[in-house]
Amino acid sequence: MAYLAPIHRPSSVRHALKIRFLSPDEDSLVVAKANRLEIYSLSQDGLVLSHTRTLYGKVTMLERLQFAQSPTEHLFVGTDRYMYFTLFWDPESQQLCTQKTYVDQADKASRDSQTQDRCHVDPSRQYMMLQLYDGIITILPLLSKGKKKKSSEPFSLGDPVPARIPEFFVRSSGFLYPREDANVHPKIAILYTDDRDSVCLCYKGLDYSPGGAGDPGSANLGTLTARDDLELGASHIVPVPAPAYGLLVLAETSITYFDDLSGESLTEPLRDPTIFVAWAPIDVQRWLLADDFGQLFLLMVMLEGSEVKGWKLDIIGTTSRATTLVYLGNGLAFVGSHQGDSQVIRIQEKKIQILQNLANIAPILDFTIMDMGNRSGEAHSNEYSSGQARIVTGSGAFGDGSLRSIRSGVGIEEQGLLGDMENILELHSLSSYGEDSQANIIAATFAEETRIFQFSADGEVEEKEEFMGLLLTEGSLYISNIPSNRLLQVTRSQVRITDIESAMLTAEWSAQDMGTITVASANRNHLVISTGGTEALALDLAKDLQITAERVFPEDGQIACIHVPSVCAGICIAGFWQSTSVTIMNVDSLETIQRVVMSEDVAAVPRSLVLTQLIPKESPTLLIAMANGEVVTFSMDTTSFALGARKATILGTQGATFKTLPRGNGLFGVFAICEHSSLIYGSEGRMVYAAVTAEQASCVCPFDAEAYSGAVAIATPSDLRITLVDTERTTHVHTLKVNETVRRIAYSRQLKAFGVGTIHRELQDGCEVIESHLKLNDEVMFKELDTFALYKDELIESCIRADLRDRSGKLTERFVIGTAYMDHQGDGEVRGRILVFAVGQERKLKLINKLSVRGACRALGVVDGNIVAALVKTVVIYSVDGPDLTKLATYRTSTAPIALAISGNEIAVGDLMKSVSVVSYARPTHTGGAHTLTEIARHFETAWATAVAYVDDHTWLESDAEGNLMVLKQNVGGITSDDRRILHTISEMRLGEMVNKIQRVEVEESSSAVVLPRAFMGTVDGSVYLFALIAPSKQDLLMRLQQAIGSRVQSPGNVPFNTYRAFHNSIRESEEPYRFVDGELIEKFLDCPSSLQESICEEVGLQADVEELRAMVEELRRIH
């Protein structure tokens, strides 16, 4: 059984809409990214994300609707499964709500639209038009409430009414603006290609008749006028409002104005030919236009009264290649892009200013995994986390092409380095101006000394030999500012309070014969220390270190850690070695309030404690770090100090050390320092563990200085640095602009370099010129080290790093690429080449082997030190024989092989139309024998494969062009040879995005893991997913849990989960996913109210309590 979870959510923007959605007085921007809606508020500096929500379907249409009974506009959403629904914003719950439940418009008898799904609203707000199928326009009336309601005040969407049209291949369409003096039916303009490949324009009048009870009514679209003399490159219809009316047709070499009433037209040529891809209105005379090359234009129609006399087109700047344009008002515009970063721009006189970039890694054409981290040791399921992996993608296309380094986790940005300092034991931040002032001092504790670093307002640092009476000749266990402008210092021998202004010692307490002070903790009023390991003392800071209580703990053994919290006054908390217990005590008397034994395992000793406010409006959280790497958390009642909601998590193999970091609004995050440090924080009502990108951190402290606002000081075993730490986990994307399509990418760990196959496009004298290169890039900064140019009009199709066997039989590392010539290129039967490159010590590419082949080389692999090449209709094995490549064996596929996955001597071949077949490579068994490729298994179904990967013994993961995933397993235990040749589908589901690449990952398995990571997947929409196999003992539990959550948790539009994730292609359609678990749905369990969680737990049939199930889901969430 299979498990799927998102690492990087889709970032491609194909649809966007300005709408008064969150408030009747403010505009918002709604952006659709595959199956996610993001709602942004507008500001003069750009966009601010207000809300995001996952939908059960990929968004293909967005429109805004205004209903009379609603103060805000409603959002119309259409999906790729031919469903539509309407949403509105509930200001009380601050959530998206469904106004109209989904309506299914799927029609198996009709042909899907060959261009794109479209929806338009009549300017008079009486009708909506949908184009989902060729030859059919669906009309939805916007109904009024009651007969007396004016037609200009629509109330709801009526039932859909289909109307047939003879125009099939529609390029563009839209409602025309109604003329004020014309009382006619709404008019629709359609730009289409007829059966003679002529580009035509026609006008249709909509005649809608409402039906009676149970009758949806009828709609007729009669052709009013038509013409077939348009330019072949015509692509878009732009309706023109009053006073001119009519429409504009955008073409590659001209722009034409058509008067729909008189039939007259006005055509003017473009200065330079181009391909328009998007447009957006600014006002009644001006539009923004975007072309395929990233140019942004301002189009103005020249009017004399209401008559169009011409138009003016100016290039105002260059942006990402736009997929959608939205004019936001006040000179701001949104450029939504599928193949580059989306942008917010400000339009100025004949130029633009880019205000904001929204990162986009779509489309992911290829990716490689640089490293998987090196976590070791036995742990729970989160011993592996996708945050450990660094993924480098080839993203974007042409001018927007780039390399993107992706890592998920809590990011750290270095602000300054204080220098090399080894063996720092503890860090403390202080202020020389008092308790409530910004920090300007870092106190670094060493074994035998304390060092003080003072920072000026401009960031200059000075080490102080003496500082305000502090004892610097000993290491400090604790230093902090306390009320009345004083400093508290605890060393192993004494406690000191000094005055900041006079630098005089005002109070002192010495351990003397009581032994060494081992641990200490304080808040604003109390200090608790342990002497000799078994005795605890409470000291009053307001009374010059007067001892208020003493207690010896012979029954519990030595004290391991102490914490005096600030959030719950009146208590302190201690952890003990021998008893492995945690005791909550009254801070004034040290009397026990509650005692909890943490574990029967003597190695599970509490080593660090912190009680803090992680989640707003919830009880404080007590975190306990155990010596075995486990972190145990409790919620604490602030009145009775009772502990509840125990949870346990494995962070590593050694005990963590906690340090709180402020997040604002009285909330804190907890930095857990261990071999793989993590940040623990509250988000969406639950606790989140996120990997931190800092390596080898030994201690930290907050350092909110004037020069380093919100900074954190981090000490490593070798230095001390000032950093900015993210307050929560995000996906960190480092970008190298290549300005070419990064078609293929391969990584060499030995060379510490990437082999990058690129395609460059530019216009020369109005013609596209295509060039392709193999580049060698450094792994650190992606710096280009060398490049190799292919022939003119030769494109790179595949690129791998390979260990190839040379004449001596030794394996040598090489880069291998496969190419294809464009349609009009090639000499005779030569249609591509295979090139083998070596990289010398000077880090330059050297071509050592080349072979011309009869077909495009779509994919490459390596088996037994030989090259595996996927050519048109054939898979071929080549050996490297000196400067030549020698053919060893061939296998003929059904149509065209486009993907390879190799495990041992087995090769899985992804076929363009016929799914997957598995062939076995065998070397000759005797002298003079032949190398062979023998088919041993096949998936006997039609599937347009896009990628395939080996994920387990005799098991492969396949993706198809229609957004489905299939796990195929060979029936090696079959009775007959025919049975053993069948690849059975053991899991399948609809992802909804087309996968371009599946990369297997090798992760050390844990016996306690819930799921076993097996592969990463990169999609056209910029998503990265983790694919895993579910441990046999958890399969039934997760399947029942998915069913229970899916039936209870509603999505916008109330679309059923099973319908959304059910396998669907042009051949067959399932009713639900088969043995496939959606991790994103499983994680919604954490967002459910407690009562709903209990109900789900009862249906699942889990014998344990809700907390156990919640802990398992949280572990699954931390994996990615």
Side-chain angles (χ1 to χ4, degrees):
M1 282 183 55
Y3 184 87
L4 188 76
I7 296 173
H8 184 276
R9 302 189 187 278
S11 55
S12 162
V13 175
R14 298 181 189 267
H15 305 277
L17 186 70
K18 186 176 78 168
I19 180 174
R20 296 204 166 186
F21 193 69
L22 301 178
S23 166
D25 303 320
E26 295 181 3
D27 288 324
S28 302
L29 180 72
V30 176
V31 174
K33 298 180 177 179
N35 68 329
R36 295 181 66 81
L37 285 180
E38 294 181 352
I39 304 172
Y40 293 88
S41 299
L42 310 183
S43 70
Q44 281 299 315
D45 298 325
L47 303 175
V48 179
L49 182 62
S50 299
H51 187 75
T52 183
R53 189 70 183 272
T54 300
L55 307 181
Y56 285 171
K58 184 176 180 179
V59 177
T60 57
M61 297 180 292
L62 285 180
E63 254 305 346
R64 62 186 181 90
L65 301 173
Q66 178 65 64
F67 295 129
Q69 81 280 16
S70 174
T72 58
E73 293 177 314
H74 289 210
L75 184 65
F76 175 91
V77 181
T79 73
D80 60 338
R81 296 297 296 271
Y82 307 109
M83 298 178 182
Y84 68 82
F85 47 87
T86 58
L87 307 173
F88 69 95
W89 180 256
D90 183 359
E92 293 186 3
S93 63
Q94 295 289 296
Q95 293 292 328
L96 279 177
C97 295
T98 300
Q99 190 262 344
K100 183 178 182 63
T101 300
Y102 79 97
V103 177
D104 191 347
Q105 284 291 288
D107 184 356
K108 296 181 179 180
S110 301
R111 188 177 72 180
D112 296 348
S113 173
Q114 300 301 298
T115 50
Q116 64 179 22
D117 294 346
R118 299 180 179 89
C119 78
H120 304 288
V121 174
D122 170 27
S124 65
R125 296 190 301 145
Q126 298 182 60
Y127 303 100
M128 172 179 278
M129 172 181 72
L130 306 181
Q131 286 182 268
L132 308 176
Y133 301 99
D134 285 343
I136 298 176
I137 288 180
T138 302
I139 302 299
L140 282 75
L142 302 180
L143 300 178
S144 300
K145 185 177 182 180
K147 296 181 180 179
K148 297 182 180 180
K149 208 72 173 174
K150 297 181 180 179
S151 61
S152 61
E153 296 181 352
F155 179 72
S156 64
L157 280 177
D159 294 330
V161 179
R164 293 198 173 272
I165 58 174
E167 296 80 17
F168 279 79
F169 194 87
V170 177
R171 297 188 177 191
S172 183
S173 63
F175 280 104
L176 299 185
Y177 285 90
R179 298 176 186 266
E180 295 179 358
D181 57 347
N183 186 17
V184 296
H185 298 298
K187 188 180 292 186
I188 298 172
I190 298 177
L191 182 69
Y192 65 98
T193 304
D194 65 10
D195 53 7
R196 300 189 306 272
D197 289 333
S198 297
V199 179
C200 308
L201 174 68
C202 72
Y203 306 110
K204 293 184 177 292
L206 171 60
D207 183 10
Y208 172 78
S209 299
D215 183 5
S218 63
N220 295 312
L221 292 172
T223 301
L224 304 176
T225 58
R227 54 192 305 163
D228 60 0
D229 57 347
L230 276 69
E231 180 186 326
L232 289 177
S235 58
H236 290 78
I237 286 177
V238 180
V240 177
Y245 297 105
L247 61 98
L248 296 170
V249 173
L250 309 181
E252 293 182 6
T253 62
S254 66
I255 295 178
T256 303
Y257 167 75
F258 290 95
D259 188 321
D260 63 299
L261 194 60
S262 66
E264 296 179 354
S265 64
L266 175 63
T267 300
E268 292 188 14
L270 300 177
R271 184 184 301 111
D272 298 305
T274 191
I275 302 171
F276 292 111
V277 294
W279 62 273
I282 297 177
D283 52 35
V284 298
Q285 282 185 259
R286 296 181 300 165
W287 290 264
L288 281 177
L289 308 181
D291 72 2
D292 195 42
F293 304 95
Q295 295 183 110
L296 196 65
F297 301 84
L298 181 63
L299 172 66
M300 175 180 285
V301 172
M302 314 304 291
L303 298 177
E304 284 187 6
S306 61
E307 185 178 354
V308 175
K309 290 298 184 181
W311 49 261
K312 182 181 179 183
L313 187 68
D314 294 317
I315 298 176
I316 58 175
T318 301
T319 65
S320 300
R321 194 267 193 193
T323 307
T324 182
L325 288 175
V326 180
Y327 183 69
L328 303 175
N330 299 320
L332 299 182
F334 175 72
V335 180
S337 181
H338 166 64
Q339 63 187 44
D341 292 343
S342 295
Q343 298 166 326
V344 178
I345 63 170
R346 174 174 282 120
I347 303 171
Q348 300 172 337
E349 187 175 354
K350 294 187 177 181
K351 65 178 182 179
I352 62 172
Q353 176 189 3
I354 297 177
L355 300 180
Q356 188 178 12
N357 279 290
L358 304 180
N360 171 30
I361 66 171
I364 300 175
L365 302 179
D366 196 7
F367 71 89
T368 186
I369 301 170
M370 281 189 63
D371 62 77
M372 291 296 298
N374 54 1
R375 181 172 295 201
S376 60
E378 187 69 20
H380 287 180
S381 64
N382 68 313
E383 70 168 27
Y384 164 78
S385 167
S386 64
Q388 299 168 236
R390 181 181 176 191
I391 300 172
V392 179
T393 68
S395 299
F398 300 118
D400 298 311
S402 61
L403 287 170
R404 309 269 179 146
S405 174
I406 303 169
R407 202 161 200 162
S408 176
V410 176
I412 292 184
E413 179 183 347
E414 186 173 315
Q415 300 290 297
L417 181 66
L418 270 67
D420 295 338
M421 280 176 269
E422 297 182 353
N423 302 319
I424 298 177
L425 301 179
E426 187 59 270
L427 292 175
H428 309 273
S429 64
L430 308 170
S431 173
S432 60
Y433 304 106
E435 181 187 26
D436 298 325
S437 302
Q438 278 192 304
N440 66 337
I441 304 292
I442 292 179
T445 296
F446 298 82
E448 302 295 335
E449 64 175 341
T450 301
R451 296 172 65 178
I452 300 295
F453 300 93
Q454 184 169 5
F455 290 76
S456 65
D458 58 1
E460 296 294 325
V461 62
E462 176 187 3
E463 183 172 2
K464 311 293 286 189
E465 297 295 330
E466 297 180 351
F467 184 73
M468 296 184 180
L470 294 179
L471 183 63
L472 304 184
T473 56
E474 292 186 25
S476 299
L477 296 176
Y478 188 88
I479 309 178
S480 71
N481 288 93
I482 56 175
S484 302
N485 275 356
R486 298 177 298 164
L487 291 176
L488 169 67
Q489 180 186 21
V490 182
T491 70
R492 293 195 175 277
S493 62
Q494 59 185 294
V495 181
R496 298 162 58 91
I497 295 179
T498 60
D499 182 74
I500 290 179
E501 294 182 358
S502 65
M504 298 293 291
L505 181 68
T506 61
E508 182 179 17
W509 182 88
S510 177
Q512 297 179 352
D513 298 333
M514 300 182 70
T516 302
I517 301 175
T518 55
V519 290
S521 180
N523 59 18
R524 300 179 77 251
N525 302 310
H526 299 92
L527 167 69
V528 178
I529 61 175
S530 173
T531 58
T534 59
E535 184 174 7
L537 292 89
L539 294 85
D540 192 327
L541 300 181
K543 297 180 180 180
D544 295 332
L545 301 178
Q546 176 182 332
I547 296 177
T548 59
E550 297 182 53
R551 182 175 175 181
V552 179
F553 296 88
E555 71 279 5
D556 286 319
Q558 290 190 327
I559 299 172
C561 50
I562 288 177
H563 175 60
V564 182
S566 299
V567 293
C568 288
I571 64 169
C572 65
I573 309 168
F576 296 88
W577 283 97
Q578 280 82 356
S579 63
T580 68
S581 64
V582 170
T583 300
I584 301 173
M585 300 175 287
N586 184 298
V587 73
D588 294 316
S589 63
L590 296 184
E591 294 179 355
T592 298
I593 298 175
Q594 183 174 355
R595 180 174 178 270
V596 179
V597 177
M598 301 305 301
S599 174
E600 299 298 329
D601 183 1
V602 295
V605 178
R607 296 293 292 121
S608 185
L609 301 165
V610 67
L611 177 68
T612 190
Q613 192 74 41
L614 293 180
I615 303 171
K617 300 179 182 180
E618 296 284 345
S619 299
T621 301
L622 173 63
L623 297 96
I624 306 168
M626 312 299 287
N628 61 357
E630 188 177 37
V631 173
V632 180
T633 64
F634 295 91
S635 64
M636 176 180 284
D637 186 287
T638 54
T639 303
S640 64
F641 308 117
L643 299 178
R646 174 173 175 155
K647 303 175 186 176
T649 302
I650 297 293
L651 280 189
T653 59
Q654 301 173 2
T657 301
F658 293 143
K659 182 72 76 168
T660 58
L661 302 178
R663 300 184 67 202
N665 299 321
L667 301 178
F668 293 84
V670 177
F671 199 113
I673 305 164
C674 54
E675 69 264 40
H676 288 281
S677 298
S678 298
L679 183 69
I680 307 170
Y681 63 94
S683 176
E684 299 177 350
R686 63 175 182 266
M687 195 161 37
V688 176
Y689 294 75
V692 178
T693 56
E695 298 180 359
Q696 298 183 326
S698 56
C699 50
V700 304
C701 74
F703 185 60
D704 185 18
E706 184 176 353
Y708 301 101
S709 179
V712 175
I714 296 181
T716 72
S718 59
D719 58 38
L720 174 61
R721 58 191 67 186
I722 308 298
T723 66
L724 290 177
V725 178
D726 291 345
T727 57
E728 59 185 26
R729 177 173 60 187
T730 56
T731 300
H732 301 274
V733 180
H734 173 63
T735 303
L736 171 70
K737 291 290 291 182
V738 180
N739 299 320
E740 301 179 27
T741 300
V742 180
R743 182 69 182 275
R744 293 290 180 259
I745 181 171
Y747 173 63
S748 168
R749 190 179 305 276
Q750 177 180 335
L751 297 172
K752 296 182 178 180
F754 295 96
V756 181
T758 67
I759 300 174
H760 176 72
R761 179 185 68 170
E762 65 177 348
L763 283 177
Q764 294 182 1
D765 300 327
C767 297
E768 284 188 357
V769 177
I770 304 294
E771 297 176 346
S772 198
H773 302 83
L774 175 65
K775 300 176 183 287
L776 188 68
N777 290 74
D778 177 75
E779 73 168 8
V780 179
M781 298 302 295
F782 296 149
K783 177 183 176 182
E784 186 176 311
L785 303 174
D786 195 18
T787 184
F788 179 87
L790 301 182
Y791 293 150
K792 183 179 179 181
D793 290 329
E794 183 183 20
L795 303 181
I796 191 164
E797 291 282 357
S798 51
C799 176
I800 62 169
R801 183 216 66 88
D803 292 321
L804 301 180
R805 199 177 303 279
D806 57 20
R807 284 182 172 180
S808 64
K810 180 182 177 182
L811 293 178
T812 307
E813 187 174 50
R814 297 286 187 257
F815 283 111
V816 186
I817 68 171
T819 74
Y821 291 110
M822 297 180 69
D823 292 342
H824 59 283
Q825 297 296 315
D827 181 15
E829 294 183 338
V830 175
R831 307 300 301 157
R833 293 191 297 167
I834 298 174
L835 308 176
V836 181
F837 294 87
V839 179
Q841 293 183 349
E842 67 282 5
R843 307 190 84 181
K844 299 293 182 183
L845 292 168
K846 180 182 178 182
L847 179 62
I848 59 173
N849 303 91
K850 62 181 178 179
L851 175 68
S852 297
V853 292
R854 295 182 178 181
C857 184
R858 303 294 188 191
L860 289 166
V862 179
V863 61
D864 195 26
N866 300 313
I867 297 173
V868 184
L871 309 179
V872 174
K873 286 191 173 293
T874 312
V875 175
V876 185
I877 306 291
Y878 293 101
S879 66
V880 180
D881 188 11
D884 301 320
L885 298 180
T886 303
K887 183 187 295 186
L888 300 180
T890 63
Y891 165 74
R892 191 166 182 83
T893 60
S894 298
T895 55
I898 60 170
L900 298 173
I902 301 172
S903 174
N905 67 335
E906 292 185 353
I907 305 168
V909 182
D911 190 88
L912 179 65
M913 295 177 62
K914 295 297 182 180
S915 194
V916 170
S917 57
V918 181
V919 296
S920 176
Y921 167 70
R923 298 173 65 88
T925 57
H926 59 276
T927 304
H931 298 258
T932 59
L933 277 175
T934 306
E935 181 178 299
I936 59 174
R938 176 181 288 274
H939 184 223
F940 291 92
E941 288 189 19
T942 298
W944 294 67
T946 60
V948 62
Y950 174 81
V951 293
D952 202 7
D953 294 340
H954 309 291
T955 307
W956 290 266
L957 171 65
E958 178 193 5
S959 62
D960 71 13
E962 296 177 88
N964 298 296
L965 297 176
M966 294 163 281
V967 182
L968 309 174
K969 188 176 182 66
Q970 183 182 2
N971 183 19
V972 293
I975 298 175
T976 67
S977 60
D978 287 341
D979 291 337
R980 292 189 290 272
R981 290 188 64 241
I982 298 176
L983 287 177
H984 292 279
T985 302
I986 62 171
S987 300
E988 65 179 18
M989 72 175 289
R990 180 177 176 84
L991 178 62
E993 302 175 53
M994 191 175 82
V995 175
N996 271 339
K997 176 70 176 288
I998 305 175
Q999 177 76 52
R1000 176 177 166 81
V1001 296
E1002 299 287 347
V1003 177
E1004 184 178 349
E1005 297 181 7
S1006 167
S1007 58
S1008 59
V1010 179
V1011 298
L1012 312 173
R1014 284 292 182 263
F1016 288 145
M1017 301 186 300
T1019 75
V1020 169
D1021 290 291
S1023 302
V1024 179
Y1025 290 92
L1026 171 68
F1027 172 84
L1029 298 177
I1030 304 174
S1033 61
K1034 302 295 183 181
Q1035 291 178 358
D1036 182 60
L1037 171 61
L1038 286 179
M1039 285 297 297
R1040 285 186 283 120
L1041 180 60
Q1042 175 172 262
Q1043 183 65 33
I1045 297 174
S1047 62
R1048 286 171 168 79
V1049 177
Q1050 296 295 323
S1051 73
N1054 299 326
V1055 178
F1057 170 79
N1058 284 343
T1059 302
Y1060 165 54
R1061 284 303 190 195
F1063 182 94
H1064 174 84
N1065 65 13
S1066 57
I1067 306 299
R1068 65 180 178 91
E1069 182 176 351
S1070 300
E1071 295 183 354
E1072 60 183 3
Y1074 175 60
R1075 294 172 57 84
F1076 225 122
V1077 174
D1078 184 345
E1080 192 169 14
L1081 177 70
I1082 294 296
E1083 291 165 17
K1084 289 183 180 180
F1085 177 80
L1086 302 175
D1087 301 325
C1088 296
S1090 298
S1091 58
L1092 184 55
Q1093 288 183 345
E1094 292 174 359
S1095 173
I1096 292 172
C1097 196
E1098 289 178 4
E1099 179 175 336
V1100 168
L1102 191 65
Q1103 298 301 318
D1105 58 12
V1106 175
E1107 291 301 325
E1108 182 178 339
L1109 186 58
R1110 186 187 292 124
M1112 183 194 73
V1113 176
E1114 286 178 341
E1115 288 182 356
L1116 288 172
R1117 189 177 189 274
R1118 284 191 296 273
I1119 291 178
H1120 63 96

